[in-house]
Amino acid sequence: MHTRRAGDPQAAFEALRAPLAELAGRHGLIVEPGRMVLELRPPGMDKGVALLDHVRRTGAGSVVYAGDDLGDLPAYGAVEKLRADGVPGVLVCSGSDEVTELRERADVVVDGPRGVVALLRALASRLP
């Protein structure tokens, strides 16, 4: 649940915290807070686990991962692991000033979602 675009993002975030925690508890999920976002997911699952599973299932020969929040750090780690295993990967930071670790670990920093779209279009235009 993203609250970044709500009229009062912090108030919306706080108002959702308890109901989402209760919902997560009923369904065996965990709540992972981020920058004006509350993620619900199964225990032991994160974006890094999901990315590694996806790459293995699809046999992807390379990876581009764009992130902008704390929840993206495990996926950054997954891309770094894939690179260590010989799979080319690019880490993109989507304009996150609040999460400096993403910016520091990224290969490319773009200006938000529009920057990610522009980067993907530029990459796609170079494909045969």
Side-chain angles (χ1 to χ4, degrees), residues 117-128:
V117 171
L119 174 65
L120 293 174
R121 283 189 176 138
L123 291 171
S125 73
R126 289 171 168 57
L127 293 174

Side-chain angles (χ1 to χ4, degrees), residues 5-57:
R5 294 188 181 183
D8 185 344
Q10 187 63 41
F13 182 87
E14 294 303 327
L16 288 169
R17 188 185 292 264
L20 287 176
E22 192 269 325
L23 177 68
R26 278 197 326 248
H27 296 280
L29 302 172
I30 61 169
V31 178
E32 183 71 33
R35 186 173 49 92
M36 296 298 113
V37 62
L38 294 160
E39 293 181 1
L40 282 84
R41 56 187 159 107
M45 178 57 73
D46 60 34
K47 291 178 182 179
V49 172
L51 179 61
L52 288 174
D53 181 61
H54 181 71
V55 168
R56 288 185 182 117
R57 280 188 297 111

Side-chain angles (χ1 to χ4, degrees), residues 21-116:
E22 192 269 325
L23 177 68
R26 278 197 326 248
H27 296 280
L29 302 172
I30 61 169
V31 178
E32 183 71 33
R35 186 173 49 92
M36 296 298 113
V37 62
L38 294 160
E39 293 181 1
L40 282 84
R41 56 187 159 107
M45 178 57 73
D46 60 34
K47 291 178 182 179
V49 172
L51 179 61
L52 288 174
D53 181 61
H54 181 71
V55 168
R56 288 185 182 117
R57 280 188 297 111
T58 63
S62 61
V63 176
V64 175
Y65 186 87
D68 70 347
D69 204 351
L70 295 170
D72 295 305
L73 289 172
Y76 268 43
V79 172
E80 290 164 346
K81 180 186 180 333
L82 289 166
R83 291 197 292 208
D85 293 342
V87 177
V90 177
L91 292 170
V92 180
C93 176
S94 176
S96 179
D97 291 328
E98 295 89 355
V99 186
T100 57
E101 187 176 350
L102 288 175
R103 194 175 277 276
E104 291 165 1
R105 290 170 63 182
D107 302 305
V108 179
V109 177
V110 297
D111 188 19
R114 287 189 177 132
V116 173

